[in-house]
Amino acid sequence: MRSTLHFLAGAEGAPGRSPSEERPSDDEALDAYSRVVTAVARDLAPSVANLRVTRRIRGGRTAMGGGSAVVITPDGFLVTSAHVVEGSRVGSASFVDGREMRFTVVGADPLSDIAVLRADAEDLAPAQLGDASDLKVGQLVVAIGNPHGYAGSVTAGVVSALGRSLPVGRRGGPRRMVENVVQTDAALNPGNSGGALVDGAGRVVGINTAVAGVGLGLAVPINEATRRIIATLMADGRVRRAWLGVAVGPRPLPPRVAGRLGRGSAVEVIEVVDGSPADLAGLHPEDLLVELDGIRLEGADDLQRMMTVERIGAAVKATVVREGELRAITLTPGELPE
């Protein structure tokens, strides 16, 4: 039995076609992924600034630092990471169109790692802010920034995880957890901090803040809470928060109390700051905070979420487990020291 091999004429063998006709056009060559990334890069690059920051260090010397920032209004307001401008009040911002201008730090909030800057311009290209609450794991995201000072650098990847927490705060000062941090595998490097993490529709859904390892970048989410912080910094230059003066952590409730309350966990007071509102109210280490103002506490983030400006100076009722017994304590949060 004889086998017959049939060959289809390839491009080279196709009669009557020139080499230019054989190659696909640029549009045909770009797949959907590439088209999204190139469109986002084109539209957002003018809205991301390369920052040069001068800060004073020990001994009266100065040090140069860098980072990125995102334009949010045409008249010069930009958002960046608080740690990028820590210790500085002024710097310079440059853009992909070649313009360079001075900026001042309007306000910084180390406990969200967000800062607002004001540049000397009236005609900047603002980015559109999105909502990280709508993100899904596996979704395409694009990081735009200035790693190692290379302006307008673009990397792409996916949302690797959501709901992460990131410890932030000024060196030697109070610490806090930023919740719902966006984890991405889009490559981030020094200088990307303060730059934009953008979804496929060209909306900024995060401010790149940290490199946690190879292929592991973190971004502070743009959401309702972040928008409030940005608006407050623009208006007042600082964010006020309530403060109890305790260090806490999750802990299981004693079985008898757990059965009575129908739940298994609370927040243990690990440390009480001398002279703090918690100290003045008689809160002790090893107390278990069950409720505050009628709201259940099962983790440190539950208590953190309640420490808003509205609670400064407002008495709240706390339910505490001490020596196995439920007790009621009245706390009056103060203002978190800067």
Side-chain angles (χ1 to χ4, degrees):
M1 185 175 217
R2 186 175 60 183
S3 297
T4 303
L5 297 179
H6 297 277
F7 291 91
L8 295 176
E12 292 182 356
R17 296 184 64 185
S18 66
S20 61
E21 292 174 326
E22 295 160 8
R23 291 192 298 268
S25 67
D26 289 343
D27 285 342
E28 292 171 335
L30 286 172
D31 58 16
Y33 177 93
S34 298
R35 285 196 293 270
V36 170
V37 175
T38 54
V40 168
R42 178 196 66 222
D43 295 342
L44 269 294
S47 303
V48 179
N50 182 10
L51 301 184
R52 287 190 295 173
V53 181
T54 303
R55 57 173 58 91
R56 293 191 177 277
I57 57 177
R58 292 179 181 177
R61 295 172 296 166
T62 58
M64 291 295 297
S68 307
V70 182
V71 178
I72 57 172
T73 68
D75 58 345
F77 281 103
L78 302 91
V79 172
T80 186
S81 299
H83 73 266
V84 169
V85 293
E86 183 179 351
S88 178
R89 300 305 303 174
V90 296
S92 64
S94 57
F95 293 86
V96 292
D97 62 5
R99 286 189 294 173
E100 183 169 343
M101 58 198 68
R102 300 286 291 171
F103 72 79
T104 57
V105 179
V106 175
D109 180 40
L111 297 184
S112 64
D113 200 21
I114 292 291
V116 171
L117 317 176
R118 186 72 183 270
D120 299 328
E122 296 292 335
D123 58 349
L124 297 181
Q128 179 184 359
L129 299 184
D131 189 349
S133 304
D134 296 330
L135 289 176
K136 295 178 176 59
V137 173
Q139 183 173 336
L140 169 66
V141 285
V142 179
I144 303 178
N146 305 285
H148 302 293
Y150 293 109
S153 295
V154 176
T155 58
V158 299
V159 175
S160 304
L162 295 166
R164 300 292 195 227
S165 296
L166 175 70
V168 296
R170 186 179 288 113
R171 298 185 187 96
R175 305 290 287 175
R176 181 176 180 267
M177 300 298 289
V178 175
E179 300 175 66
N180 298 318
V181 169
V182 182
Q183 178 184 326
T184 176
D185 67 351
L188 300 180
N189 291 287
N192 269 118
S193 288
L197 187 70
V198 187
D199 66 13
R203 298 168 299 209
V204 178
V205 292
I207 301 298
N208 299 320
T209 187
V211 181
V214 177
L216 202 167
L218 301 174
V220 172
I222 296 294
N223 52 29
E224 184 180 353
T226 312
R227 289 171 183 267
R228 285 199 303 266
I229 290 169
I230 292 171
T232 301
L233 289 173
M234 291 173 69
D236 304 329
R238 61 189 289 258
V239 175
R240 300 174 65 210
R241 288 187 176 84
W243 177 66
L244 290 178
V246 292
V248 298
R251 182 177 169 182
L253 286 166
R256 184 168 63 86
V257 176
R260 179 177 170 183
L261 296 176
R263 47 188 283 211
S265 60
V267 173
E268 180 184 17
V269 177
I270 299 171
E271 182 182 354
V272 178
V273 177
D274 290 341
S276 67
D279 184 34
L280 297 175
L283 209 58
H284 300 160
E286 299 185 1
D287 283 347
L288 301 181
L289 282 167
V290 176
E291 289 184 354
L292 190 66
D293 224 11
I295 299 174
R296 291 169 52 157
L297 301 177
E298 297 185 355
D301 55 342
D302 294 330
L303 181 61
Q304 176 179 296
R305 274 194 295 268
M306 296 187 66
M307 294 296 101
T308 58
V309 63
E310 294 82 9
R311 297 190 185 276
I312 297 174
V316 294
K317 299 289 185 181
T319 302
V320 175
V321 177
R322 182 181 296 168
E323 297 176 351
E325 299 294 332
L326 288 170
R327 304 190 182 196
I329 291 180
T330 299
L331 296 161
T332 303
E335 182 172 351
L336 179 68
E338 290 192 34

